[in-house]
Amino acid sequence: MNYKLHYQALIAKHGLQYRPKNADGYERHHILPKSLGGDNSTDNLRYLTGRQHLLAHWLLYKIHNNSEMAMAFFMMRANKSNYLLNSVEEKSAINAMYKTGLMTK
């Protein structure tokens, strides 16, 4: 699966450049994460719904497969939008931590 292509499509289709007037449920997302050299410029920021934001971080983890992206994906579990993670999302976030060695059994 081409995770990078899916990530780019998610950002292009759903990423809003400006904070919505009714911003409830929207979170700010760095297109290129700061840990990979991204900054806080408007060109690098988009607003996504909480679920889209979680998906974006899962895709970034699948693309880069490193501990920084695993941690970011895992931390999305403490989401600001208060949406409920399903069991697959929860398991995927925990597995990312195990696979990168950030968590041990």
Side-chain angles (χ1 to χ4, degrees):
M1 179 179 287
N2 188 336
Y3 295 109
K4 187 174 183 178
L5 183 64
H6 286 285
Y7 178 72
Q8 291 168 338
L10 173 73
I11 299 301
K13 184 174 181 179
H14 299 288
L16 303 176
Q17 188 169 9
Y18 300 102
R19 185 178 183 87
K21 288 182 180 179
N22 180 7
D24 291 347
Y26 280 86
E27 301 171 359
R28 190 175 71 167
H29 174 69
H30 291 87
I31 298 169
L32 178 64
K34 292 177 91 174
S35 65
L36 297 175
D39 58 20
N40 288 330
S41 69
T42 55
D43 289 340
N44 192 45
L45 294 172
R46 292 294 180 270
Y47 290 91
L48 299 169
T49 66
R51 186 151 309 276
Q52 292 164 351
H53 198 191
L54 175 73
L55 180 57
H57 278 277
W58 176 75
L59 290 167
L60 284 168
Y61 164 68
K62 296 300 268 184
I63 293 165
H64 299 286
N65 197 25
N66 63 27
S67 59
E68 291 85 5
M69 295 302 102
M71 179 63 80
F73 175 45
F74 181 78
M75 295 305 291
M76 291 299 299
R77 294 165 58 246
N79 63 75
K80 295 175 271 190
S81 299
N82 295 318
Y83 58 87
L84 296 175
L85 272 67
N86 65 39
S87 60
V88 172
E89 294 163 342
E90 177 75 15
K91 186 176 179 180
S92 295
I94 292 170
N95 284 341
M97 296 294 281
Y98 283 126
K99 287 181 181 177
T100 56
L102 292 171
M103 203 181 225
T104 57
K105 293 183 179 185

